[in-house]
Amino acid sequence: MNTPDIRSRRWNGWGEQDIDVPLSAHAAELFAERIGPATVPNDVAMDTVLAAVPASRLPAHALVTTDAEQRLRHSRGESFPDWIAKRHGQIDSFPDGVAYPESNEQVRELLDWAKQQGVAVIPWGGGTSVVGHLTPEAKGKPVLSLDMSRMNQLLALDEMSMLATIQGGAPGPLIEQQLKDRGYVLGHLPQSWEYSTIGGWAATRSSGQQSYRYGRIEQLFAGGRVETPTGSWEIPTIPATGAGTDPREMFLGTEGRVGVITEVKARVQKAPAFEAFYGVFFPTWQQGEAAVREVAQQRLDVSLLRLSNENETVSHLALAGRPGEIKWLKRYLALRGIKDGMCYMLFGLTGEKARCMRVKREVMAVLKRHGGVNTGTVFGKAWAEKRFKGAYIRNGMWDAGYGIDTFETALDWNKVEPYMRDVQNRAEQVFAQFGEKALVFAHLSHVYRQGSTVYTSCIFSLADSPEETLARWQAFKKVVSDCIVEYGGTMSHQHGVGRDHKPWLAAEKGGELGLQGIRALVNSFDPDEVMNPEILVD
């Protein structure tokens, strides 16, 4: 059977094979100074891993391929343990086959077949999960990876209701291009936008970089169609309801446990006429945080608010690779009273230009009161041009001997700074126990009236062996996850639960009683454990 050509993407890293973002000399110098020397890893070749792919356990089906390379490419996502497994050839489980359905009917056929044959099904969107959704472990069952990439079209556009019907396998660029041709935009822009799909966004309660304007996926998801093991589920589009539990909320965030999203009815907007992003520097974190909090609580009409802490600001300036320009910037900021401890903020304006200029004046008045210094759109333009290329730096870091992992949460405002400081210290301490240093920094990526996300990154040296690298990561993951629970934050603001966050899920769901409710929901749609077994709950 014909299958999509996925060979242009890296099988063991992020993105397209012909796009390289190597570690710059300035970044290498910074990492050597702050983290220490690194050993370049010895990655295995694809042919070596392909030779280890076992025979398929699936009975023949016309829609299923058992090709070894297809199975390898669908064996893991993009989490840090996934990278260790792929880079070192330590993949211990593979899907037994891959299917590329082209219609609701074919999805229905495959689910009925899987249920009859005792096969587990893992829905596959763009393969971008960073928390372990895609590992084919199913209590000994054969596993089918259901790749939705052929179901990627805009099916209908109701311009009066501003609702678009989009197939679940449509990735970000294809969605926006099809809507742009009609004068509309969805505006959901996670960093994985180039590959992640609208079905995956709904399944993991995704948030885009400009969700401040367009809304998180739960605000964009108006209804749709889900094929479950027990039948087809049509979720109607109703503007608002007072009639019991909302079926949209029953489904959002179920991470492939109840079924496959074949269609999403999404709320869209007219394409904006104007957009710009502005960079502002603050003397201290406290002033920057107070400024973004006031912008959010006054409900000023920005499309983006991001605030980097001191470590991230210094690191990003060093990673920019333009030392001459950065030197002059620091001199200018020093004249304005901003020196050590400075924090960088990015805010965006999107919409009708005259209105955006009015909002800009209102926002700048707030920021100025808190000591902010506007540096115009230079930094904002650079960010917008590279906003989806940031993930590629993972490849360059790994090739130079460094690993990077991120973790994010959302907390009430009174907990934001104490948590940010504490989790950074704990992350550094856990690596110190291994005799290592780590570079840890954070930013606020999504700001609300009640509180904010804290998105933290940790860069560290890879160990001499993959087993040691994994052991360090596991210790690090436990420490930071325990810290999130201690401060009452969510285990995931935008990445989902998967396998990596599952041990800490009960804390934010109200304990075992909350998990029982999730189990009851899962069991009602999938009593035979066909769909992505053991994700969310056992």
PDB file of all heavy atoms in Angstrom, residues 16 27 41 53 76 99 107-108 179 201-202 209 252 268 286-287 301 373 384 395 462 479 489 491 496 534:
ATOM      1  N   GLU A  16      12.827  18.753  10.196  1.00  0.00           N
ATOM      2  CA  GLU A  16      13.290  18.332   8.878  1.00  0.00           C
ATOM      3  C   GLU A  16      14.794  18.058   8.886  1.00  0.00           C
ATOM      4  O   GLU A  16      15.574  18.773   9.524  1.00  0.00           O
ATOM      5  CB  GLU A  16      12.989  19.419   7.842  1.00  0.00           C
ATOM      6  CG  GLU A  16      11.508  19.744   7.713  1.00  0.00           C
ATOM      7  CD  GLU A  16      10.697  18.553   7.274  1.00  0.00           C
ATOM      8  OE1 GLU A  16      11.085  17.901   6.281  1.00  0.00           O
ATOM      9  OE2 GLU A  16       9.673  18.261   7.919  1.00  0.00           O
ATOM     10  N   ALA A  27      27.134  30.233  22.329  1.00  0.00           N
ATOM     11  CA  ALA A  27      26.384  29.313  23.178  1.00  0.00           C
ATOM     12  C   ALA A  27      27.309  28.269  23.774  1.00  0.00           C
ATOM     13  O   ALA A  27      27.209  27.935  24.966  1.00  0.00           O
ATOM     14  CB  ALA A  27      25.279  28.646  22.369  1.00  0.00           C
ATOM     15  N   PRO A  41      28.003  12.655  22.026  1.00  0.00           N
ATOM     16  CA  PRO A  41      27.486  11.282  22.081  1.00  0.00           C
ATOM     17  C   PRO A  41      27.731  10.538  20.780  1.00  0.00           C
ATOM     18  O   PRO A  41      27.911  11.135  19.720  1.00  0.00           O
ATOM     19  CB  PRO A  41      25.988  11.492  22.317  1.00  0.00           C
ATOM     20  CG  PRO A  41      25.706  12.833  21.707  1.00  0.00           C
ATOM     21  CD  PRO A  41      26.936  13.665  21.940  1.00  0.00           C
ATOM     22  N   VAL A  53      13.924  -4.346  14.803  1.00  0.00           N
ATOM     23  CA  VAL A  53      12.457  -4.308  14.781  1.00  0.00           C
ATOM     24  C   VAL A  53      11.936  -5.738  14.653  1.00  0.00           C
ATOM     25  O   VAL A  53      12.265  -6.440  13.683  1.00  0.00           O
ATOM     26  CB  VAL A  53      11.939  -3.450  13.608  1.00  0.00           C
ATOM     27  CG1 VAL A  53      10.407  -3.478  13.567  1.00  0.00           C
ATOM     28  CG2 VAL A  53      12.443  -2.015  13.739  1.00  0.00           C
ATOM     29  N   ARG A  76       8.109   6.236  18.982  1.00  0.00           N
ATOM     30  CA  ARG A  76       8.324   7.164  20.097  1.00  0.00           C
ATOM     31  C   ARG A  76       7.948   8.576  19.659  1.00  0.00           C
ATOM     32  O   ARG A  76       7.815   8.871  18.469  1.00  0.00           O
ATOM     33  CB  ARG A  76       9.794   7.166  20.548  1.00  0.00           C
ATOM     34  CG  ARG A  76      10.284   5.872  21.186  1.00  0.00           C
ATOM     35  CD  ARG A  76       9.628   5.603  22.515  1.00  0.00           C
ATOM     36  NE  ARG A  76      10.175   4.423  23.173  1.00  0.00           N
ATOM     37  CZ  ARG A  76       9.799   3.171  22.944  1.00  0.00           C
ATOM     38  NH1 ARG A  76       8.884   2.925  22.019  1.00  0.00           N
ATOM     39  NH2 ARG A  76      10.324   2.160  23.621  1.00  0.00           N
ATOM     40  N   ALA A  99      -1.346   2.388  10.287  1.00  0.00           N
ATOM     41  CA  ALA A  99      -2.440   2.593   9.332  1.00  0.00           C
ATOM     42  C   ALA A  99      -2.591   4.082   9.068  1.00  0.00           C
ATOM     43  O   ALA A  99      -2.382   4.912   9.959  1.00  0.00           O
ATOM     44  CB  ALA A  99      -3.745   2.015   9.870  1.00  0.00           C
ATOM     45  N   VAL A 107     -11.525   4.823   9.718  1.00  0.00           N
ATOM     46  CA  VAL A 107     -11.195   4.820  11.145  1.00  0.00           C
ATOM     47  C   VAL A 107     -12.125   3.866  11.882  1.00  0.00           C
ATOM     48  O   VAL A 107     -11.692   3.057  12.718  1.00  0.00           O
ATOM     49  CB  VAL A 107     -11.284   6.234  11.739  1.00  0.00           C
ATOM     50  CG1 VAL A 107     -11.104   6.196  13.259  1.00  0.00           C
ATOM     51  CG2 VAL A 107     -10.237   7.156  11.124  1.00  0.00           C
ATOM     52  N   ARG A 108     -13.410   3.949  11.569  1.00  0.00           N
ATOM     53  CA  ARG A 108     -14.398   3.058  12.189  1.00  0.00           C
ATOM     54  C   ARG A 108     -14.058   1.592  11.915  1.00  0.00           C
ATOM     55  O   ARG A 108     -14.094   0.740  12.813  1.00  0.00           O
ATOM     56  CB  ARG A 108     -15.778   3.403  11.631  1.00  0.00           C
ATOM     57  CG  ARG A 108     -16.948   2.592  12.123  1.00  0.00           C
ATOM     58  CD  ARG A 108     -17.377   3.017  13.520  1.00  0.00           C
ATOM     59  NE  ARG A 108     -16.765   2.182  14.543  1.00  0.00           N
ATOM     60  CZ  ARG A 108     -16.440   2.612  15.754  1.00  0.00           C
ATOM     61  NH1 ARG A 108     -16.640   3.863  16.108  1.00  0.00           N
ATOM     62  NH2 ARG A 108     -15.915   1.794  16.631  1.00  0.00           N
ATOM     63  N   LEU A 179      -7.491  28.179   5.727  1.00  0.00           N
ATOM     64  CA  LEU A 179      -8.348  29.245   6.251  1.00  0.00           C
ATOM     65  C   LEU A 179      -7.976  30.597   5.653  1.00  0.00           C
ATOM     66  O   LEU A 179      -8.853  31.422   5.357  1.00  0.00           O
ATOM     67  CB  LEU A 179      -8.250  29.294   7.777  1.00  0.00           C
ATOM     68  CG  LEU A 179      -8.930  28.158   8.536  1.00  0.00           C
ATOM     69  CD1 LEU A 179      -8.590  28.242  10.016  1.00  0.00           C
ATOM     70  CD2 LEU A 179     -10.447  28.211   8.350  1.00  0.00           C
ATOM     71  N   TRP A 201      -4.181  18.616  19.465  1.00  0.00           N
ATOM     72  CA  TRP A 201      -4.374  19.771  20.354  1.00  0.00           C
ATOM     73  C   TRP A 201      -5.569  19.546  21.279  1.00  0.00           C
ATOM     74  O   TRP A 201      -5.497  19.816  22.480  1.00  0.00           O
ATOM     75  CB  TRP A 201      -4.582  21.045  19.533  1.00  0.00           C
ATOM     76  CG  TRP A 201      -3.448  21.392  18.630  1.00  0.00           C
ATOM     77  CD1 TRP A 201      -2.147  20.973  18.726  1.00  0.00           C
ATOM     78  CD2 TRP A 201      -3.511  22.225  17.461  1.00  0.00           C
ATOM     79  NE1 TRP A 201      -1.400  21.503  17.695  1.00  0.00           N
ATOM     80  CE2 TRP A 201      -2.210  22.273  16.900  1.00  0.00           C
ATOM     81  CE3 TRP A 201      -4.531  22.932  16.834  1.00  0.00           C
ATOM     82  CZ2 TRP A 201      -1.912  23.004  15.746  1.00  0.00           C
ATOM     83  CZ3 TRP A 201      -4.249  23.660  15.683  1.00  0.00           C
ATOM     84  CH2 TRP A 201      -2.951  23.692  15.149  1.00  0.00           C
ATOM     85  N   ALA A 202      -6.671  19.063  20.701  1.00  0.00           N
ATOM     86  CA  ALA A 202      -7.857  18.828  21.512  1.00  0.00           C
ATOM     87  C   ALA A 202      -7.616  17.708  22.518  1.00  0.00           C
ATOM     88  O   ALA A 202      -8.048  17.787  23.675  1.00  0.00           O
ATOM     89  CB  ALA A 202      -9.048  18.490  20.616  1.00  0.00           C
ATOM     90  N   GLN A 209       0.928  29.942  21.399  1.00  0.00           N
ATOM     91  CA  GLN A 209       1.723  31.080  21.854  1.00  0.00           C
ATOM     92  C   GLN A 209       0.893  32.358  21.962  1.00  0.00           C
ATOM     93  O   GLN A 209       1.207  33.239  22.754  1.00  0.00           O
ATOM     94  CB  GLN A 209       2.899  31.291  20.900  1.00  0.00           C
ATOM     95  CG  GLN A 209       3.918  30.164  20.949  1.00  0.00           C
ATOM     96  CD  GLN A 209       4.973  30.275  19.865  1.00  0.00           C
ATOM     97  OE1 GLN A 209       4.804  30.987  18.883  1.00  0.00           O
ATOM     98  NE2 GLN A 209       6.065  29.548  20.013  1.00  0.00           N
ATOM     99  N   LEU A 252     -12.244  16.633  25.973  1.00  0.00           N
ATOM    100  CA  LEU A 252     -10.976  17.352  25.892  1.00  0.00           C
ATOM    101  C   LEU A 252      -9.977  16.830  26.926  1.00  0.00           C
ATOM    102  O   LEU A 252     -10.317  16.628  28.084  1.00  0.00           O
ATOM    103  CB  LEU A 252     -11.208  18.849  26.113  1.00  0.00           C
ATOM    104  CG  LEU A 252     -11.856  19.601  24.952  1.00  0.00           C
ATOM    105  CD1 LEU A 252     -12.444  20.924  25.447  1.00  0.00           C
ATOM    106  CD2 LEU A 252     -10.834  19.866  23.856  1.00  0.00           C
ATOM    107  N   VAL A 268     -13.305  30.174  14.532  1.00  0.00           N
ATOM    108  CA  VAL A 268     -12.273  30.902  13.807  1.00  0.00           C
ATOM    109  C   VAL A 268     -12.559  32.395  13.843  1.00  0.00           C
ATOM    110  O   VAL A 268     -13.636  32.828  14.259  1.00  0.00           O
ATOM    111  CB  VAL A 268     -12.159  30.402  12.348  1.00  0.00           C
ATOM    112  CG1 VAL A 268     -11.747  28.937  12.313  1.00  0.00           C
ATOM    113  CG2 VAL A 268     -13.474  30.602  11.587  1.00  0.00           C
ATOM    114  N   GLN A 286      10.614  41.470  39.903  1.00  0.00           N
ATOM    115  CA  GLN A 286       9.412  41.909  40.608  1.00  0.00           C
ATOM    116  C   GLN A 286       8.677  42.995  39.825  1.00  0.00           C
ATOM    117  O   GLN A 286       7.442  42.991  39.750  1.00  0.00           O
ATOM    118  CB  GLN A 286       9.777  42.414  42.009  1.00  0.00           C
ATOM    119  CG  GLN A 286      10.253  41.341  42.970  1.00  0.00           C
ATOM    120  CD  GLN A 286      11.676  40.879  42.701  1.00  0.00           C
ATOM    121  OE1 GLN A 286      12.447  41.579  41.998  1.00  0.00           O
ATOM    122  NE2 GLN A 286      12.058  39.738  43.242  1.00  0.00           N
ATOM    123  N   GLN A 287       9.419  43.923  39.214  1.00  0.00           N
ATOM    124  CA  GLN A 287       8.775  44.970  38.422  1.00  0.00           C
ATOM    125  C   GLN A 287       8.144  44.391  37.156  1.00  0.00           C
ATOM    126  O   GLN A 287       7.040  44.772  36.773  1.00  0.00           O
ATOM    127  CB  GLN A 287       9.804  46.050  38.071  1.00  0.00           C
ATOM    128  CG  GLN A 287      10.204  46.902  39.268  1.00  0.00           C
ATOM    129  CD  GLN A 287      11.437  47.744  38.985  1.00  0.00           C
ATOM    130  OE1 GLN A 287      12.554  47.232  38.973  1.00  0.00           O
ATOM    131  NE2 GLN A 287      11.239  49.037  38.747  1.00  0.00           N
ATOM    132  N   ASP A 301      -5.937  44.567  25.588  1.00  0.00           N
ATOM    133  CA  ASP A 301      -6.155  43.693  24.437  1.00  0.00           C
ATOM    134  C   ASP A 301      -4.852  43.351  23.709  1.00  0.00           C
ATOM    135  O   ASP A 301      -4.678  43.659  22.533  1.00  0.00           O
ATOM    136  CB  ASP A 301      -7.148  44.356  23.479  1.00  0.00           C
ATOM    137  CG  ASP A 301      -7.643  43.404  22.410  1.00  0.00           C
ATOM    138  OD1 ASP A 301      -7.512  42.186  22.600  1.00  0.00           O
ATOM    139  OD2 ASP A 301      -8.156  43.891  21.384  1.00  0.00           O
ATOM    140  N   VAL A 373      11.469  49.599  29.903  1.00  0.00           N
ATOM    141  CA  VAL A 373      12.096  50.388  28.841  1.00  0.00           C
ATOM    142  C   VAL A 373      11.808  49.701  27.510  1.00  0.00           C
ATOM    143  O   VAL A 373      12.219  48.550  27.283  1.00  0.00           O
ATOM    144  CB  VAL A 373      13.614  50.518  29.061  1.00  0.00           C
ATOM    145  CG1 VAL A 373      14.276  51.205  27.868  1.00  0.00           C
ATOM    146  CG2 VAL A 373      13.897  51.290  30.346  1.00  0.00           C
ATOM    147  N   ALA A 384       9.480  36.437  16.090  1.00  0.00           N
ATOM    148  CA  ALA A 384       8.421  35.975  15.191  1.00  0.00           C
ATOM    149  C   ALA A 384       8.989  35.171  14.030  1.00  0.00           C
ATOM    150  O   ALA A 384       8.388  34.172  13.600  1.00  0.00           O
ATOM    151  CB  ALA A 384       7.628  37.171  14.667  1.00  0.00           C
ATOM    152  N   ASN A 395      18.521  19.590  18.640  1.00  0.00           N
ATOM    153  CA  ASN A 395      19.440  18.783  17.832  1.00  0.00           C
ATOM    154  C   ASN A 395      20.877  19.264  17.991  1.00  0.00           C
ATOM    155  O   ASN A 395      21.804  18.473  18.191  1.00  0.00           O
ATOM    156  CB  ASN A 395      19.047  18.849  16.352  1.00  0.00           C
ATOM    157  CG  ASN A 395      17.640  18.349  16.087  1.00  0.00           C
ATOM    158  OD1 ASN A 395      17.194  17.395  16.704  1.00  0.00           O
ATOM    159  ND2 ASN A 395      16.947  18.993  15.170  1.00  0.00           N
ATOM    160  N   LEU A 462      25.205  15.592  28.848  1.00  0.00           N
ATOM    161  CA  LEU A 462      24.866  14.188  28.711  1.00  0.00           C
ATOM    162  C   LEU A 462      25.941  13.348  29.393  1.00  0.00           C
ATOM    163  O   LEU A 462      27.122  13.694  29.374  1.00  0.00           O
ATOM    164  CB  LEU A 462      24.775  13.806  27.237  1.00  0.00           C
ATOM    165  CG  LEU A 462      23.747  14.580  26.402  1.00  0.00           C
ATOM    166  CD1 LEU A 462      23.848  14.174  24.938  1.00  0.00           C
ATOM    167  CD2 LEU A 462      22.329  14.365  26.934  1.00  0.00           C
ATOM    168  N   VAL A 479      12.060  15.379  41.201  1.00  0.00           N
ATOM    169  CA  VAL A 479      12.233  16.541  42.085  1.00  0.00           C
ATOM    170  C   VAL A 479      11.365  17.708  41.627  1.00  0.00           C
ATOM    171  O   VAL A 479      10.657  18.326  42.437  1.00  0.00           O
ATOM    172  CB  VAL A 479      13.726  16.939  42.141  1.00  0.00           C
ATOM    173  CG1 VAL A 479      13.880  18.344  42.722  1.00  0.00           C
ATOM    174  CG2 VAL A 479      14.512  15.939  42.967  1.00  0.00           C
ATOM    175  N   GLY A 489       0.416  23.551  41.731  1.00  0.00           N
ATOM    176  CA  GLY A 489       0.300  23.865  40.315  1.00  0.00           C
ATOM    177  C   GLY A 489      -0.209  22.676  39.518  1.00  0.00           C
ATOM    178  O   GLY A 489      -0.311  21.552  40.019  1.00  0.00           O
ATOM    179  N   MET A 491       0.190  19.793  36.663  1.00  0.00           N
ATOM    180  CA  MET A 491       1.313  19.031  36.132  1.00  0.00           C
ATOM    181  C   MET A 491       1.571  19.357  34.676  1.00  0.00           C
ATOM    182  O   MET A 491       2.638  19.058  34.150  1.00  0.00           O
ATOM    183  CB  MET A 491       1.061  17.524  36.279  1.00  0.00           C
ATOM    184  CG  MET A 491       1.343  16.994  37.673  1.00  0.00           C
ATOM    185  SD  MET A 491       2.936  17.515  38.344  1.00  0.00           S
ATOM    186  CE  MET A 491       4.059  16.893  37.101  1.00  0.00           C
ATOM    187  N   GLY A 496       0.012  18.078  28.144  1.00  0.00           N
ATOM    188  CA  GLY A 496      -0.687  16.849  28.460  1.00  0.00           C
ATOM    189  C   GLY A 496       0.004  16.057  29.552  1.00  0.00           C
ATOM    190  O   GLY A 496       1.011  16.477  30.133  1.00  0.00           O
ATOM    191  N   GLU A 534      -3.432   2.650  29.442  1.00  0.00           N
ATOM    192  CA  GLU A 534      -2.644   3.111  30.589  1.00  0.00           C
ATOM    193  C   GLU A 534      -2.225   4.577  30.507  1.00  0.00           C
ATOM    194  O   GLU A 534      -1.511   5.057  31.387  1.00  0.00           O
ATOM    195  CB  GLU A 534      -1.421   2.210  30.819  1.00  0.00           C
ATOM    196  CG  GLU A 534      -1.803   0.765  31.122  1.00  0.00           C
ATOM    197  CD  GLU A 534      -0.621  -0.073  31.566  1.00  0.00           C
ATOM    198  OE1 GLU A 534       0.221   0.434  32.333  1.00  0.00           O
ATOM    199  OE2 GLU A 534      -0.539  -1.225  31.142  1.00  0.00           O
TER     200      GLU A 534
END
